[in-house]
Amino acid sequence: MTVSVLGRPVGGTPTRSSGAGLPLTGAQSGMWYAQALDPGSPALNTAEYLDIHGDIDPVLFAEALHRTVGEAEALRVRLVDTPAGPRQLPVAVPAPGSGFPLHTADLRERGDAGRAVAAATAWMRADLAVPFDLAGGPLFAHALFRVGDRRWLWYQRVHHAVLDGYGYALVARRVAEVYTALATGGDAGPSPFGRLAALVEEDAAYRDSATCERDRDHWRRHMAGRPAVPTLSGRAALPSRTTVRHTAHLGPEAAARLRELAASVRATWPDVLFAAQALYLSRATGRQDVVLGLPMMGRMGSVALRVPGMVMNVLPLRLTVTPDATFAELTRQADLGIRDARRHQRYRYADLRRDLGLLGEGTALVGPLVNVMPFDYGLTFAGARCDAHNLSGGPVDDLTVNIYDRADGSGLRIDYDANPASYEDGEVAAHQHRFLDLLTRIAAGDPHRPLSELCLATDEERERELTEFNDTATDLPPTTLIGPIEARAARTPHATALIADGRSWTYAELNTRANRLARHLIGLGVRPGVLAAVALPRSADLVVALLAVLKAGGAYVPLDVEHPPARLALVLEDTAPACLLTDTATRAAALPETDVPAVLLDDPALAAALDRQLPTDPGRALTPHHPAYVIHTSGSTGRPKGVVVPHSAIDNRLRWMQGQYGLTAGDRVLHKTPTGFDVSVWELFWPLREGATLVLAGPGEHRDPAALARTVREHGITIAHFVPSALALFLDEADGELPLRDVFASGETLPRALADRFHATLPGTALHNLYGPTEAAVDVSHHRCEPGGTGPVPIGRPVWNTRLHVLDAALQPCPPGVTGELYIAGAQLATGYLGRPDLTAARFVRDPFGAPGERMYRTGDLARRREDGVLEYAGRADRQVKLRGQRIEPGEVEAALTGDPRVAAACVTVREDRPGDRRLVAHVTPASVDAAAEAGPLDPRALRAALAARLPEAMVPSAVVVLDAFPLGPNGKLDRAALPAPAPVLGDRRPGDAREETLARLFADVLGLERPPGVDDGFFDLGGDSLLAARLVARVRDALGADLDLGTLFRAPTPAALAARVAAGRTDDALGPLLPLRRTGTRTPLFVLPPAVGLGWCYAGLTARLGAEQPVYALQARGLAGDAPPAAGLEEMAADCLARIREVRPHGPYRLLGWSFGGNLAHAVAVLLRDAGEKVELLALLDSYPGDVWRGRPAPAEADAFAELLRMAGEEPAGDTPVTRRQIVAALRKEIGTPAAALREETVAAMARAAVHHAALTRRHRPGVFDGDVLFFTAASSGGEDRPSRDAWRPYVGGDLINRDLDCPHAAMTRPGPVDAIAETVARYLGERC
Amino acid sequence: MALTLEQIRADVADVLGEDPADIPDDENLVDYGLDSVRIMTLVERWRRDHGTEVTFVDLAEKPAIEQWAPLLGART
């Protein structure tokens, strides 16, 4: 089988000026830009085939096809990029057999029809991977396969910029009609198709109309205040070159029932499918507010009904899915939403994205597209019926669900097309399988029941979630946190229990001290159910104090001495402890005034009192249900909330930890976590329960990674915990010699890269990722990180006696891969929040899957399961944030802000305005004038200082932005997404070199910024969009001669990154003797010789027009950078150029081109090459004349060169005023964006001197004879009567002098317009396409 | 039986789930929620019940009742 060659237009001289052809419609532009993003991508190919059941005459078929294509004007175009934007020009379509792009093959020898069809579709898939050349055209290809005696497949592939799905139907219908007429001797009648121009006009008229304005307003209003648009993958990626497709079918019975359901609620069946997909998406993403992509045919009431072109549009369909609503209501909502969208359907998707500021990567406007194709073609080819099979619907941003009504009554075909950058193959199949399962259950159910009854998981998935993945029951004795510690002290009294403050204590010593203090505390009223506050720095006293509270039967309340006193006062107020254990220094430095009786551990009187206490374990009526500790976390209402954890919960946690990681007497556990965080609970008590040694880091040492590493090394620590961000710092100080056996990470997401670094740094140490909220006794899941793991680090599987449920909004289990909220049930749940029954009831809810009376804790964390049941963390369901391991409720910070009399309202968010830079930012509005007059002006700095006095450091916003008013959405709610970034928006890292400087300036020019951005600012973050990106790329190409495509800009969107990309491709000095304008490309390189001023930059435009496959190198005169003397003669200069050329290309064939003086030089180089026996396949002279013609004329002076330079820059010298160097520098910078550092006034002076010198060389030079053809371009609007004639070359050219007149003056030959014509003529001369 | 203007309006209102009195003769039915599926429903219904020969494109090109009436041979 041979692969067809695309037919190319033959003959004709298509013009290339920007005025030719037609502009693109909005719909076409979208596809054109999508292709420009990745010019080599075949993703914009669309294709289908018709399976024709009957006999076909291939000759008549080809004729029908050719005639139809001839009639379909909109199909028969190529798209060229012009300075005025892309335009479409007609292409000639040769007849079948003379280049018409129709491949035919008879595949019957493959055996049965099945094999033949497989061979044909394999061919089609290979063909689908071939990208079209937009500028070359034609943008369609066909194939006709015979797969049986009476069965044929007709395949067509078309670029999406010229045809959409409806257009396919028009083409197929007409081909069938013409074929039938040809086969039966009938008359197919005149072309049924409308004109392309009408389509373009209609589009332009719409864009200028008031309707367009109204539509724009409608969509902006409709989409304002939109939430982040959920997608099933939860990821965002640029479109890929390929699409993953899974095809499935919904049976006829279910399909019929869906139709009945639609009719019963007065909707259409596509409405039902939209509703079902919205339900699926809502459940799968945990969002009530979802946005589906609604493809619109866009032809109703339009001339486009009869034009096979690209018209379709995609609109957002925003739906709200609440668990209480019924499916019928959701269908009605979809129906009304679609009707509403239809009234504004002509407003383009790309324009809407731009209006909404959704630019660059990672910003979706819609979730999955639901593309319902309700019609079968129903065509016949002279009686032979056929069915259509779509092969590709074009690029897929995220996910497209294509639904085809199979008109033969066999139900629906449902294709899932996914972007492989966002979805694993298996994920797509799983979503599809579940969606069909859901559709089947919807079809079978009552549409008037609440949606909460419909769950996403299949029965099998639900069963695994509830049993297999949560099979953690383990029988444990009913003990407490403290009991096993006392038992251990009795068993190993002489073992080392504690190392702190530079000494060590045995179990017996520690136990005795704690017992004496406990007995003292009992005297102060501490007993089971009573709280005692502890505010001590990390020290042996701290350990003794905590043990004593527990031994007394009480629960301890840790006060973090680094928190502001005002906050500690709130905690004391909330907990009303029986006493406060502290020391003199801490009380003086860190504690608020309080009525709570203090127990000062450094008080000599206390020491005396303790000596009188018995050293034995005190008796107490403690049960596992009594509280062990109360730890406070950030509370959204403005007060920290105390989590009450019972002994049973923490006992389970520590027994699991011992079962899992088995501490022995030889282990040493590091305690470094402040006691306000519950990680400290296992650090402190696990070793003391198991006979190991507890080693305390010094006070403040938890912030000093080098000191920690020293402690670990010196004390032989085997077990330690780190919050991942702290682990990253620790690893900088660590090496493989450290004695660590197990390291535990928790508190925030553990990045895979960090885990990898851990394994590389500490190859002998195990790394465990633990997860759990304070409300469930430290940790509820665990995962051991193995070296070489990939993907996100999971939070793992549940600990003993613990069930973890990933549930959707209707509290139904989520299937694997689907993100839901994580609920915790089992032994480790906290009792609740101290003194907050309302809050407790809201978070600790009835467990619908457990025994009667069991509760589950709603974490607010999002998670999803892998197929094997392992859990992955997926962010927060609410506004709670974690910054550097600290849990922060923005509401608490907001409450603190609005507590300030100067502030009326506040909103606190975590922003990442710069990648990797997450910070807490507050937006506030000032209080009324009166209040402000009293309290003083609103100064952000003063506000931060006030907050720092009340909140822990991590909760103080790093920036406070004062606004007159908050941005509001249409519903009157605060629009968080519209809050401005804190100033300065522009980064401040200055350019490090000329290239970065140029790029920063081009960014500013293109984006309309007041000053150049920092070199780390992203183009899209600064407001760039794809249109502006295309403009920037063009400017960069011109200014730096870099062969850059749009995709590169997306991958390297900052001046610094882009400069690095450019440098990687080209590191040359802009004034050097050889300037590569494009290094890459498959064609024979083109060498361009400089005009009299000596620089080759002027050929940048030509390089761009010659296309990506043509390498171009510019030769430049020596001496411009002041580094070498000028050449003494033209011949010597040519020899020098030739030496440079040979460095790039040692042997022919060669391609040469020169403008003006460059032409003389090119001719001389060509003569030298021929003398050396090399082949010269192109010698192109741009309005260049031999020295003979100049000899009778006055020699040019520097002033003339200045004037010429100014003209080259596109400016006309003003009358008699002499042109200055500065003027030229300014004009050149403006015109070609020359690297500023390279172009100085001295350079301009050197250029002018060179021009005069080169003119003299020309006059002296006697050219040799070049024995080939010369391609000559005449600047036809230059000069008058006495302009030189190209015939002056006749004596020096052996071959033909082929001329093309250009309607421009000599100085404008390398400007846009003329270069188009030059590029096109050169390419055609060489038999290539540009 | 030939179509009447009233019948056209009643059928359009039916597929749109609206009251016939709310469907004007001279306005773009797209603004009232008419889509290609509903147009196909009408094309098929009128062919079956009234023997009309209009195509989807005929109706979609000028989606208003007064434009359709002559195409459908309706008595006004």
Side-chain angles (χ1 to χ4, degrees):
Chain A
M1 192 189 313
T2 56
V3 176
S4 71
V5 174
L6 284 182
R8 280 179 44 203
V10 285
T13 47
T15 48
R16 270 280 166 112
S17 80
S18 61
L22 293 165
L24 270 51
T25 64
Q28 292 179 293
S29 297
M31 294 297 149
W32 188 86
Y33 282 111
Q35 183 73 73
L37 256 179
D38 186 0
S41 168
L44 276 290
N45 281 341
T46 63
E48 69 169 27
Y49 72 89
L50 293 191
D51 190 347
I52 304 169
H53 304 273
D55 205 10
I56 288 290
D57 178 334
V59 174
L60 292 185
F61 186 87
E63 198 180 327
L65 197 53
H66 183 246
R67 176 160 159 196
T68 302
V69 168
E71 291 170 348
E73 203 186 15
L75 198 58
R76 228 174 348 97
V77 292
R78 61 196 177 98
L79 311 180
V80 296
D81 190 8
T82 77
R87 295 181 73 86
Q88 45 193 331
L89 305 171
V91 287
V93 178
S98 312
F100 185 74
L102 170 65
H103 167 83
T104 55
D106 188 340
L107 299 174
R108 283 176 298 174
E109 83 276 8
R110 297 296 169 121
D112 59 15
R115 283 200 197 137
V117 170
T121 50
W123 184 95
M124 294 172 195
R125 287 188 204 295
D127 183 68
L128 246 178
V130 179
F132 282 110
D133 171 11
L134 284 187
L139 303 180
F140 56 85
H142 292 270
L144 184 66
F145 297 99
R146 185 166 203 179
V147 293
D149 288 343
R150 293 180 55 76
R151 190 170 169 200
W152 298 71
L153 305 184
W154 167 34
Y155 161 83
Q156 44 176 339
R157 168 171 69 98
V158 188
H159 195 280
H160 209 341
V162 297
L163 198 67
D164 60 12
Y166 180 87
Y168 265 95
L170 286 182
V171 171
R173 181 168 306 281
R174 180 60 178 167
V175 171
E177 196 172 80
V178 175
Y179 177 84
T180 304
L182 292 172
T184 59
D187 177 8
S191 165
F193 298 147
R195 301 289 314 270
L196 174 60
L199 206 62
V200 173
E201 269 165 37
E202 195 179 75
D203 186 65
Y206 168 71
R207 285 171 169 263
D208 287 343
S209 70
T211 311
C212 178
E213 284 292 319
R214 278 199 301 276
D215 290 347
R216 186 208 324 270
D217 290 346
H218 166 83
W219 287 115
R220 289 170 85 142
R221 269 198 317 278
H222 186 72
M223 295 307 287
R226 74 204 173 279
V229 166
T231 61
L232 284 177
S233 65
R235 295 184 280 270
L238 289 175
S240 301
R241 287 189 167 195
T242 56
T243 298
V244 173
R245 168 170 288 188
H246 285 265
T247 296
H249 296 96
L250 187 73
E253 284 173 25
R257 277 204 298 271
L258 290 180
R259 277 177 225 274
E260 284 163 24
L261 191 161
S264 78
V265 297
R266 305 203 82 163
T268 62
W269 65 269
D271 299 330
V272 168
L273 287 157
F274 273 96
Q277 187 60 233
L279 172 61
Y280 187 93
L281 180 62
S282 165
R283 284 292 168 73
T285 58
R287 305 285 182 78
Q288 289 203 348
D289 211 349
V290 296
V291 185
L292 297 175
L294 172 64
M296 278 281 170
M297 183 175 86
R299 284 174 161 89
M300 209 72 86
S302 154
V303 294
L305 273 164
R306 298 182 195 275
V307 182
M310 166 59 194
V311 177
M312 63 84 63
N313 193 14
V314 173
L315 295 170
L317 177 62
R318 190 173 170 179
L319 297 171
T320 304
V321 185
T322 48
D324 301 339
T326 66
F327 189 77
E329 287 164 353
L330 184 58
T331 303
R332 177 71 180 157
Q333 196 194 132
D335 182 17
L336 294 179
I338 294 169
R339 288 185 191 200
D340 190 43
R342 197 168 285 120
R343 287 185 199 108
H344 309 282
Q345 61 178 297
R346 287 195 285 174
Y347 199 71
R348 297 304 309 177
Y349 179 78
D351 294 336
L352 180 54
R353 278 180 65 99
R354 190 160 50 239
D355 294 345
L356 296 172
L358 295 173
L359 307 162
E361 193 173 353
T363 45
L365 170 57
V366 299
L369 262 66
V370 179
N371 193 15
V372 183
M373 270 131 321
F375 312 121
D376 189 72
Y377 289 1
L379 303 177
T380 55
F381 289 77
R385 59 171 192 86
C386 64
D387 2 275
H389 297 262
N390 175 281
L391 289 169
S392 168
V396 175
D397 286 348
D398 179 68
L399 180 71
T400 300
V401 179
N402 292 303
I403 300 161
Y404 302 86
D405 182 12
R406 308 207 300 173
D408 57 359
S410 67
L412 303 176
R413 167 178 153 183
I414 300 183
D415 282 354
Y416 266 56
D417 286 1
N419 183 348
S422 294
Y423 294 87
E424 303 285 338
D425 205 41
E427 280 179 273
V428 183
H431 283 306
Q432 185 183 41
H433 175 69
R434 254 180 246 126
F435 180 63
L436 263 71
D437 186 75
L438 179 67
L439 274 181
T440 311
R441 281 181 283 131
I442 288 170
D446 176 355
H448 300 289
R449 302 286 307 161
L451 294 173
S452 58
E453 294 178 7
L454 288 163
C455 85
L456 204 58
T458 62
D459 288 349
E460 186 195 351
E461 287 168 337
R462 187 184 156 89
E463 189 59 23
R464 289 187 81 195
E465 163 78 26
L466 293 181
T467 56
E468 180 188 330
F469 296 149
N470 281 308
D471 184 13
T472 60
T474 310
D475 263 344
L476 297 176
T479 52
T480 61
L481 173 58
I482 189 68
I485 296 176
E486 292 175 339
R488 174 60 61 184
R491 279 215 298 282
T492 61
H494 306 300
T496 302
L498 173 66
I499 295 175
D501 314 340
R503 61 158 290 195
S504 67
W505 285 265
T506 64
Y507 272 82
E509 286 167 342
L510 188 63
N511 200 39
T512 304
R513 269 189 80 188
N515 281 340
R516 290 201 157 106
L517 181 58
R519 288 173 185 274
H520 179 77
L521 295 180
I522 290 169
L524 295 175
V526 178
R527 59 178 187 278
V530 171
L531 307 181
V534 178
L536 287 164
R538 199 154 43 236
S539 61
D541 277 352
L542 171 69
V543 180
V544 170
L546 296 176
L547 286 173
V549 172
L550 293 169
K551 279 169 172 283
Y556 71 88
V557 181
L559 299 183
D560 190 328
V561 296
E562 290 184 352
H563 284 185
R567 184 176 176 84
L568 298 180
L570 282 180
V571 172
L572 287 171
E573 203 178 296
D574 257 10
T575 53
C579 59
L580 166 58
L581 289 81
T582 182
D583 58 30
T584 316
T586 305
R587 184 165 72 162
L591 297 185
E593 287 294 317
T594 174
D595 298 333
V596 178
V599 178
L600 294 171
L601 295 195
D602 57 346
D603 183 353
L606 177 69
L610 293 184
D611 282 344
R612 293 193 293 275
Q613 300 284 0
L614 277 175
T616 51
D617 293 341
R620 58 194 172 235
L622 185 65
T623 73
H625 303 297
H626 280 113
Y629 59 87
V630 176
I631 282 182
H632 283 74
T633 67
S634 178
S636 57
T637 53
R639 282 179 89 91
K641 49 186 198 267
V643 181
V644 183
V645 177
H647 282 273
S648 53
I650 188 65
D651 188 47
N652 186 84
R653 167 65 179 69
L654 293 179
R655 285 183 181 277
W656 162 78
M657 199 170 200
Q658 179 61 18
Q660 188 74 29
Y661 307 109
L663 272 192
T664 64
D667 275 312
R668 291 185 156 200
V669 179
L670 180 68
H671 164 60
K672 67 172 187 58
T673 305
T675 50
F677 295 95
D678 63 358
V679 166
S680 63
V681 178
W682 71 251
E683 284 180 347
L684 286 163
F685 303 120
W686 183 32
L688 297 182
R689 287 163 62 113
E690 308 301 340
T693 303
L694 170 64
V695 180
L696 264 51
E701 207 176 282
H702 58 282
R703 288 210 189 81
D704 182 349
L708 281 177
R710 212 160 40 237
T711 300
V712 167
R713 197 172 285 120
E714 285 171 8
H715 290 286
I717 302 292
T718 58
I719 308 287
H721 171 272
F722 291 92
V723 169
S725 48
L727 180 60
L729 301 175
F730 178 74
L731 288 182
D732 291 339
E733 308 293 336
D735 57 53
E737 300 300 307
L738 290 184
L740 291 166
R741 185 187 86 201
D742 292 287
V743 165
F744 295 92
S746 72
E748 61 191 23
T749 306
L750 175 62
R752 173 63 71 185
L754 181 58
D756 290 344
R757 222 179 110 212
F758 180 95
H759 293 303
T761 311
L762 299 171
T765 310
L767 176 64
H768 308 279
N769 190 30
L770 305 184
Y771 159 85
T774 304
E775 286 85 345
V778 199
D779 298 300
V780 291
S781 76
H782 61 105
H783 172 82
R784 182 182 167 122
C785 303
E786 299 294 349
T790 55
V793 176
I795 56 173
R797 298 179 184 278
V799 303
W800 289 351
N801 298 313
T802 295
R803 296 181 301 281
L804 301 179
H805 295 304
V806 180
L807 304 180
D808 65 22
L811 293 188
Q812 297 278 3
C814 292
V818 171
T819 302
E821 193 169 340
L822 189 62
Y823 287 76
I824 304 170
Q828 285 190 198
L829 291 203
T831 310
Y833 299 109
L834 187 66
R836 305 290 295 275
D838 51 335
L839 205 53
T840 304
R843 304 305 296 194
F844 293 83
V845 299
R846 190 181 72 81
D847 177 4
F849 314 108
E854 281 201 78
R855 301 176 307 154
M856 59 181 187
Y857 171 66
R858 179 178 190 183
T859 62
D861 284 324
L862 300 175
R864 61 179 159 258
R865 276 190 200 286
R866 300 195 316 208
E867 281 295 335
D868 62 3
V870 164
L871 289 163
E872 290 177 348
Y873 179 76
R876 283 293 297 181
D878 56 18
R879 295 182 56 216
Q880 187 191 98
V881 293
K882 277 213 166 172
L883 265 183
R884 292 170 281 281
Q886 303 237 34
R887 186 166 144 180
I888 298 170
E889 292 286 355
E892 183 171 1
V893 187
E894 286 161 7
L897 281 164
T898 49
D900 189 296
R902 293 165 292 189
V903 174
C907 175
V908 172
T909 50
V910 167
R911 301 182 68 101
E912 194 171 346
D913 292 311
R914 220 162 285 289
D917 179 21
R918 292 182 78 231
R919 53 188 193 141
L920 204 61
V921 174
H923 288 81
V924 298
T925 56
S928 67
V929 180
D930 290 348
E934 210 165 291
L938 190 50
D939 171 23
R941 214 170 306 172
L943 213 47
R944 284 193 68 237
L947 284 184
R950 300 187 54 191
L951 298 174
E953 192 190 331
M955 291 168 69
V956 180
S958 63
V960 176
V961 182
V962 181
L963 300 174
D964 290 337
F966 284 130
L968 298 180
N971 49 8
K973 281 197 200 156
L974 170 63
D975 182 2
R976 286 202 174 79
L979 288 170
V985 177
L986 295 181
D988 43 16
R989 191 156 83 81
R990 305 312 315 156
D993 61 23
R995 201 177 281 120
E996 289 186 352
E997 183 186 337
T998 303
L999 287 168
R1001 190 172 44 73
L1002 292 179
F1003 272 44
D1005 285 357
V1006 169
L1007 293 167
L1009 306 176
E1010 281 180 17
R1011 65 173 180 88
V1015 294
D1016 297 320
D1017 287 331
F1019 183 75
F1020 301 99
D1021 300 333
L1022 295 171
D1025 58 28
S1026 57
L1027 288 166
L1028 294 172
R1031 201 170 298 162
L1032 179 70
V1033 164
R1035 297 285 303 272
V1036 173
R1037 253 192 309 237
D1038 284 350
L1040 297 180
D1043 189 23
L1044 191 69
D1045 58 32
L1046 264 177
T1048 305
L1049 180 60
F1050 275 88
R1051 288 184 290 273
T1054 67
L1058 204 52
R1061 294 275 180 153
V1062 171
R1066 170 177 167 272
T1067 54
D1068 311 85
D1069 182 351
L1071 298 177
L1074 183 77
L1075 176 69
L1077 293 170
R1078 181 186 292 117
R1079 287 177 187 280
T1080 55
T1082 54
R1083 297 183 183 153
T1084 304
L1086 173 67
F1087 294 93
V1088 291
L1089 288 297
V1093 295
L1095 281 186
W1097 305 345
C1098 53
Y1099 296 115
L1102 178 65
T1103 304
R1105 301 307 189 287
L1106 285 169
E1109 293 309 320
Q1110 178 64 64
V1112 179
Y1113 294 84
L1115 283 303
Q1116 307 201 104
R1118 286 183 178 281
L1120 292 178
D1123 51 356
L1130 199 146
E1131 192 120 1
E1132 177 193 318
M1133 198 170 166
D1136 190 35
C1137 288
L1138 179 56
R1140 304 264 155 257
I1141 290 171
R1142 292 257 199 202
E1143 282 172 17
V1144 175
R1145 189 172 176 82
H1147 292 291
Y1150 290 96
R1151 297 178 174 185
L1152 304 166
L1153 177 147
W1155 171 37
S1156 195
F1157 169 72
N1160 301 76
L1161 208 46
H1163 180 270
V1165 171
V1167 170
L1168 292 175
L1169 280 169
R1170 289 300 296 142
D1171 287 350
E1174 296 287 2
K1175 185 176 175 209
V1176 175
E1177 62 180 26
L1178 173 71
L1179 174 60
L1181 307 183
L1182 276 50
D1183 211 41
S1184 170
Y1185 302 93
D1188 312 359
V1189 307
W1190 304 116
R1191 264 175 232 128
R1193 306 179 192 218
E1198 286 193 17
D1200 301 316
F1202 277 20
E1204 200 69 2
L1205 272 167
L1206 196 65
R1207 283 195 199 98
M1208 270 170 67
E1211 285 183 21
E1212 199 52 38
D1216 299 333
T1217 324
V1219 176
T1220 64
R1221 295 174 189 177
R1222 178 167 308 197
Q1223 225 178 326
I1224 295 167
V1225 170
L1228 278 176
R1229 280 187 179 159
K1230 193 165 110 209
E1231 172 57 18
I1232 56 178
T1234 309
L1239 187 67
R1240 303 180 194 286
E1241 287 181 36
E1242 302 87 89
T1243 313
V1244 170
M1247 287 160 77
R1249 277 197 304 276
V1252 173
H1253 179 66
H1254 292 148
L1257 296 188
T1258 308
R1259 283 159 183 263
R1260 288 210 302 271
H1261 178 60
R1262 293 268 169 206
V1265 176
F1266 172 65
D1267 62 353
D1269 296 343
V1270 165
L1271 184 61
F1272 196 90
F1273 295 87
T1274 305
S1277 64
S1278 257
E1281 293 282 303
D1282 67 337
R1283 53 162 301 133
S1285 161
R1286 60 183 170 271
D1287 289 329
W1289 281 111
R1290 290 286 178 205
Y1292 312 114
V1293 174
D1296 288 339
L1297 197 59
I1298 305 153
N1299 176 60
R1300 175 154 185 194
D1301 279 356
L1302 300 177
D1303 185 19
C1304 69
H1306 178 83
M1309 290 199 89
T1310 57
R1311 300 183 51 75
V1315 288
D1316 290 341
I1318 294 168
E1320 199 232 340
T1321 306
V1322 165
R1324 213 170 44 209
Y1325 177 81
L1326 292 167
E1328 287 163 350
R1329 276 183 288 162
C1330 60
Chain B
M1 192 182 88
L3 269 164
T4 62
L5 205 58
E6 286 70 34
Q7 188 61 47
I8 295 173
R9 192 182 302 120
D11 287 341
V12 169
D14 181 53
V15 296
L16 291 175
E18 304 282 351
D19 185 331
D22 294 336
I23 307 293
D25 289 352
D26 56 351
E27 282 186 43
N28 188 338
L29 293 172
V30 172
D31 290 344
Y32 290 79
L34 192 71
D35 58 26
S36 51
V37 173
R38 288 179 168 93
I39 288 185
M40 276 313 288
T41 306
L42 291 170
V43 167
E44 280 159 19
R45 182 185 294 186
W46 289 335
R47 181 166 53 222
R48 188 186 64 222
D49 296 351
H50 304 280
T52 58
E53 292 279 313
V54 291
T55 65
F56 168 76
V57 171
D58 293 335
L59 296 189
E61 202 159 34
K62 297 191 171 95
I65 288 177
E66 66 177 15
Q67 300 278 353
W68 287 358
L71 300 176
L72 293 163
R75 288 174 289 130
T76 48

